């Protein structure tokens, strides 16, 4: 992926330098960058890897998913906190993940901890079991499990 990006920058630089334009500016470089993307897309099967912009799009989808889940869980926590009668039952539950590798497990734990209402307290030695504290175990558990499923799918897509 990094090699394709560097090659794309090289093509853009060549386009910028060889273009017969006395007023070459950033738009000339960007047009060369887009030309390079088209060339790399046409030739990506010869590199033996997938086209690098596919992974960039998947990373952007993961970021947007996190922002969406962050906003939704923040609103839920805000509703619970602003309720005059605090009717929450905090609790701890476990979750078995299908992700493998330290990077994937760490990203999932960080994304879960950053969403309000849930905290990853511990990860088992083998990295398969998460111990998660939920602010309201009755209502939050299903929401957290739904978020975990979405995060796992997005993380798996990014890393594959």
């Amino acid at each position: 992926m990094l090699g394709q990006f560097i090659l794309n920058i090289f093509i853009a630089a060549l386009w910028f330098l060889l273009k017969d334009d006395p007023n070459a500016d950033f738009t000339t470089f960007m047009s060369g960058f887009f030309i390079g993307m088209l060339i790399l897309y046409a030739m990506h099967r010869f590199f033996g890897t997938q086209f690098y912009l596919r992974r960039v799009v998947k990373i952007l989808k993961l970021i947007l998913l996190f922002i969406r889940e962050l906003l939704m869980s923040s609103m839920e926590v805000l509703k619970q906190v602003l309720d005059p009668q605090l009717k929450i039952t905090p609790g701890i539950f476990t979750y078995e993940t299908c992700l493998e590798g330290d990077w994937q497990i760490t990203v999932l734990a960080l994304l879960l901890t950053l969403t309000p209402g849930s905290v990853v307290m511990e990860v088992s030695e083998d990295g398969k079991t998460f111990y998660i504290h939920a602010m309201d175990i009755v209502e939050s558990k299903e929401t957290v499990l739904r978020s975990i499923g979405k995060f796992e799918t997005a993380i798996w897509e990014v890393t594959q």
Side-chain angles (χ1 to χ4, degrees), residues 24-131:
D25 54 359
F26 185 69
T27 57
T28 307
F29 181 81
M30 288 308 294
S31 64
F33 190 80
F34 288 120
I35 297 290
M37 282 191 329
L38 292 174
I39 292 170
L40 289 176
Y41 181 72
M43 300 184 69
H44 77 277
R45 65 177 180 218
F46 299 114
F47 295 120
T49 59
Q50 67 177 355
F51 183 53
Y52 80 97
L53 279 184
R54 289 186 181 178
R55 183 167 287 176
V56 171
V57 169
K58 290 176 184 176
I59 291 170
L60 289 175
K61 284 182 182 179
L62 177 62
I63 291 170
L64 292 175
L65 173 67
F66 171 68
I67 291 171
R68 179 177 169 258
E69 293 295 323
L70 178 68
L71 292 174
M72 288 176 51
S73 62
S74 295
M75 293 303 292
E76 185 65 35
V77 169
L78 187 64
K79 281 193 285 186
Q80 290 177 353
V81 169
L82 292 178
D83 190 14
Q85 298 171 346
L86 195 59
K87 301 175 189 173
I88 61 171
T89 53
I92 299 170
F93 65 96
T94 61
Y95 180 77
E96 296 284 329
T97 183
C98 62
L99 295 177
E100 299 173 356
D102 294 338
W103 188 87
Q104 294 176 341
I105 293 168
T106 303
V107 169
L108 181 61
L110 289 174
L111 290 176
L112 290 175
T113 301
L114 289 174
T115 54
S118 64
V119 175
V120 176
M121 296 174 30
E122 188 175 348
V123 179
S124 66
E125 288 291 325
D126 62 352
K128 293 291 183 186
T129 306
F130 287 96
Y131 296 94

